[in-house]
Amino acid sequence: MHRIAIFASGKGSNADNLCRYFENHPVIRISLIITDRKEAGVLDVAEKHGIEHLYFNKAAWLQPQLIIDDLQKRSIDFIVLAGFLKLVPPAVIHAYNRRIINIHPALLPKFGGRGMFGMHVHEAVANAKEKETGITIHYVNEQYDKGDVIFQARVSLTENDTPETIAIKVHELEMKHFPVEAERLLSKKE
Ligand code: GRF
């Protein structure tokens, strides 16, 4: 049995989708949702699915061993970042080497890095008049959006696209691919 912890800071539509997809899965379970924001919508998602959730404040993130202890106590073997805005502490990355993935709402290495989240990404894509955008699922390392790429999916853009329409197109890709790719990856890990 794989036991996943989701880290999220926002409204949690990806977390919701992952919870739904893995409900009743024979070997993968979403066991824990961790947030760095007390008011995050993802906490309602956790409640809705009856999944244990923990909030860690700023001070706690500076003592990552506390977080690692909580993960290990629950036999978490894989971490999925789904709209998690904080840099994951290096100690957590070392404890979960190549067992942490993130989804980024653009085609990395373009439009990644610090400050590139949410609508900022789609605004940058629109301003650059890109012909396509997409999603990138990648391993997490100590820098924002720099870990090895696992999967990308693309969608075409036209000159009529706005940041809002780009967001809708990218969201569709996230819903379609993220759980499936997480499942595919976990099926290759022991
Ligand atoms: C998604 O666009 C995801 O790609 C990015 O953050 C956003 C999270 O949205 N990393 P939500 O909280 O899952 O609705």
Side-chain angles (χ1 to χ4, degrees):
M1 176 66 76
H2 290 291
R3 296 169 63 87
I4 299 179
I6 296 176
F7 286 18
S9 311
K11 73 172 189 281
S13 67
N14 280 281
D16 189 32
N17 192 38
L18 289 161
C19 291
R20 249 182 290 129
Y21 187 84
F22 289 116
E23 209 170 20
N24 305 319
H25 193 285
V27 292
I28 299 174
R29 180 176 301 159
I30 308 291
S31 300
L32 182 64
I33 293 184
I34 287 181
T35 188
D36 60 327
R37 295 216 175 156
K38 229 188 316 203
E39 313 299 333
V42 74
L43 292 173
D44 297 330
V45 170
E47 289 279 336
K48 182 174 95 181
H49 291 280
I51 290 169
E52 188 188 4
H53 44 87
L54 299 173
Y55 158 68
F56 290 108
N57 65 17
K58 237 180 170 168
W61 290 99
L62 296 174
Q63 295 183 63
Q65 194 53 48
L66 297 177
I67 296 168
I68 295 169
D69 289 347
D70 268 315
L71 293 168
Q72 290 178 342
K73 229 186 283 168
R74 292 162 179 84
S75 304
I76 301 295
D77 68 339
F78 200 73
I79 299 171
V80 174
L81 309 189
F84 186 63
L85 296 181
K86 236 182 168 28
L87 209 48
V88 178
V92 177
I93 291 170
H94 293 143
Y96 283 87
N97 183 33
R98 278 181 105 74
R99 287 182 174 272
I100 312 179
I101 62 170
N102 178 46
I103 184 160
H104 185 77
L107 296 170
L108 292 175
K110 284 181 162 183
F111 308 106
R114 185 177 282 278
M116 274 295 174
F117 61 90
M119 287 309 285
H120 299 299
V121 178
H122 308 311
E123 278 157 15
V125 168
N127 287 339
K129 304 200 182 317
E130 292 290 299
K131 299 270 183 293
E132 61 173 11
T133 188
I135 57 167
T136 304
I137 298 169
H138 64 93
Y139 285 110
V140 171
N141 65 14
E142 290 167 21
Q143 288 169 287
Y144 279 114
D145 305 325
K146 284 278 167 60
D148 291 346
V149 171
I150 299 163
F151 173 85
Q152 291 188 309
R154 294 161 192 276
V155 61
S156 301
L157 300 177
T158 71
E159 55 199 27
N160 295 328
D161 272 304
T162 63
E164 289 72 25
T165 64
I166 295 173
I168 291 168
K169 289 181 171 182
V170 169
H171 191 249
E172 277 171 15
L173 292 180
E174 292 180 342
M175 295 296 109
K176 180 171 171 202
H177 294 288
F178 199 19
V180 181
E181 293 307 318
E183 181 181 36
R184 199 197 307 275
L185 192 63
L186 277 172
S187 72
K188 290 193 228 141
K189 294 201 186 275
E190 35 168 89

